[in-house]
Amino acid sequence: LRKCCNHPYLFEGVEDRTLDPLGDHLVTSCGKMALLDKLLAKLFKRGHRVLIFSQMTRMLDILEDYMLMRHYQYCRIDGDTSYDERESLIDAYNAPGSTKFVFLLSTR
């Protein structure tokens, strides 16, 4: 059920591998992503910055593809991130004048 509520590409075999991996299908195949796409565009335009939390690192993988597709600057921390790298990413996001728009965080 958690997979259903997040993105259909979390299920094996659903994603059409003949499409561009960073194509609009990432957004159009999922209502939650379509809403996020609209919200982030408005927040970016207004100069806001965003934290996105997820329990599923595979969902963070999809969000990372989305960030690349939309050319948003981002940082990501999950369970595989070393302590030193975590500190570096947090410092980069919090630095005065940082261009990092989104911080992707795993809650597990």
Side-chain angles (χ1 to χ4, degrees), residues 6 10 17 29 33-34 58 63 68-69 79 81 91 99 107:
N6 281 306
L10 293 171
R17 297 290 181 175
S29 64
M33 287 295 291
R58 286 183 55 214
L63 289 168
L68 293 171
M69 179 184 82
T81 309
D91 290 344
T99 59
T107 57

Side-chain angles (χ1 to χ4, degrees), residues 71-108:
H71 305 287
Y72 291 141
Q73 296 291 314
Y74 70 95
C75 295
R76 174 183 171 158
I77 291 178
D78 60 33
D80 292 333
T81 309
S82 71
Y83 179 78
D84 291 336
E85 190 176 359
R86 285 173 195 261
E87 283 197 0
S88 174
L89 290 167
I90 291 168
D91 290 344
Y93 187 81
N94 289 326
S98 173
T99 59
K100 304 293 185 187
F101 170 52
V102 175
F103 209 130
L104 302 173
L105 300 148
S106 170
T107 57
R108 292 213 167 221

Side-chain angles (χ1 to χ4, degrees), residues 13 46 53-54 96:
R46 295 177 184 165
F53 296 88
S54 177

